[in-house]
Amino acid sequence: MKKNDLSGLTAEQLKQQIAEEKDRLVKLKFAHAITPIENPRRITEARKNIARLSTALTSKK
């Protein structure tokens, strides 16, 4: 997700995206704990996406 993609979203859409990313992160962590996932970099990417979305949400307020 690019910064330009986030600029067109409303605060409610950002909150919804953050919730979805957090849910995805929990599932990835759980799957990785059971059996190592093919690409553990996806966990890092999910965390970074959450940070990007949170930053965009903060700048909207």
Side-chain angles (χ1 to χ4, degrees):
M1 203 165 255
K2 301 285 184 177
K3 185 177 178 183
N4 295 336
D5 298 337
L6 300 177
S7 63
L9 299 176
T10 66
E12 289 301 317
Q13 290 172 329
L14 287 171
K15 288 178 185 178
Q16 182 182 10
Q17 291 261 337
I18 290 171
E20 289 172 5
E21 282 293 324
K22 284 184 178 182
D23 186 45
R24 188 175 299 134
L25 179 62
V26 168
K27 289 179 182 178
L28 279 172
K29 284 183 176 181
F30 186 71
H32 187 63
I34 294 173
T35 59
I37 58 178
E38 287 182 27
N39 188 2
R41 178 96 171 114
R42 290 173 39 199
I43 295 172
T44 305
E45 290 172 4
R47 284 198 334 252
K48 287 184 179 185
N49 281 338
I50 292 169
R52 282 188 196 102
L53 291 165
S54 296
T55 302
L57 181 61
T58 302
S59 67
K60 294 268 183 187
K61 290 183 179 182

